[in-house]
Amino acid sequence: GNDTQTQVIINCGALNCLRNLLETNHKKSIKKEACWTISNITAGTKEQIQAVFEAGLIPPLVKLLATAEYDIKKEAAWAISNATSGGTAEQIKGLVDYGCIKPLCDTLTVND
């Protein structure tokens, strides 16, 4: 959807629900779809990317990027990559501070 539609989802409290899906023992397909949804949000505005930070979604994304199965890692990588494309310098520094560089680089070497 567009940025307005994305904002409606954020305003409805979806980010906390998505964090719960990432942090609890849900099926692989649920985690993958949650990461995909977050990647669409991080493709939005700087304010929407900030909402992802404020909802505490970056640490579980980085953890999944480092430890999950490849199809989940790929979606987590998109979520982080989108945030780097549209984010502020401070947001990008935040991603680095959360430790995303090594798992991103490790993902580049995986054969899918």
Side-chain angles (χ1 to χ4, degrees), residues 35-43 61 65 70-85 104 107:
C35 289
W36 176 83
T37 302
I38 296 164
S39 77
N40 280 285
I41 296 168
T42 58
L61 279 173
L65 182 61
Y70 177 73
D71 50 347
I72 298 171
K73 284 184 181 194
K74 185 168 81 170
E75 297 302 332
W78 274 111
I80 291 169
S81 175
N82 288 347
T84 66
S85 296
L104 273 174
T107 302

Side-chain angles (χ1 to χ4, degrees), residues 5-51:
Q5 293 166 324
T6 299
Q7 192 59 49
V8 169
I9 297 300
I10 292 170
N11 292 348
C12 288
L15 296 180
N16 288 331
C17 297
L18 289 166
R19 188 180 70 242
N20 179 270
L21 294 175
L22 296 183
E23 293 179 338
T24 56
N25 288 327
H26 288 285
K27 294 191 316 185
K28 178 175 86 168
S29 61
I30 298 292
K31 289 187 185 293
K32 178 185 172 196
E33 294 303 321
C35 289
W36 176 83
T37 302
I38 296 164
S39 77
N40 280 285
I41 296 168
T42 58
T45 66
K46 290 169 179 42
E47 294 78 17
Q48 291 168 343
I49 294 167
Q50 187 61 36

